[in-house]
Amino acid sequence: LARDAMPTDLPAPHIVQPFWFGEPACKATDWYLRGLPPLRATDKLQEPQRHSDAWRRWNRIHRMPPGPDRARQRSRSFPGMMQAAAAQWGDSAMQQVAA
């Protein structure tokens, strides 16, 4: 349903993972970038072996039980990703303003 409501001229999504930015978690995040460069990994962690205990912890977001806070918890952003976005895209925005 969400795809049907999106503009038809969107570029391909830029997909990042929290563990690329030092966060021990797996949760693909798609961003549609217009006028911004792709986000570069800043502190990439080694992803745990699939189905290990560490992998299950990293995938806790996907394993959350139903409940009143589930949607809010699943939609949270990760500080490492947001710090990288602010640093990298803020620099990009400042360069565009200067140009």
Side-chain angles (χ1 to χ4, degrees):
L1 293 174
R3 285 189 181 150
D4 292 340
M6 292 180 161
T8 57
D9 65 338
L10 283 177
H14 173 59
I15 302 170
V16 296
Q17 287 279 356
F19 67 87
W20 296 0
F21 306 95
E23 304 284 348
C26 293
K27 181 188 177 214
T29 301
D30 299 13
W31 283 322
Y32 294 96
L33 306 179
R34 288 190 181 178
L36 293 171
L39 202 57
R40 295 179 317 278
T42 57
D43 185 17
K44 196 168 189 176
L45 302 176
Q46 182 67 39
E47 188 175 3
Q49 183 178 5
R50 288 190 177 270
H51 308 295
S52 67
D53 288 339
W55 183 83
R56 286 183 184 90
R57 282 191 303 276
W58 279 35
N59 283 279
R60 67 189 173 276
I61 292 168
H62 301 291
R63 304 166 60 81
M64 287 182 173
D69 266 358
R70 185 173 194 260
R72 185 176 65 80
Q73 291 294 329
R74 285 179 52 95
S75 67
R76 292 180 63 200
S77 296
F78 292 88
M81 286 173 56
M82 297 301 100
Q83 289 168 352
Q88 294 175 36
W89 292 338
D91 290 346
S92 176
M94 293 304 287
Q95 290 172 1
Q96 288 178 15
V97 168

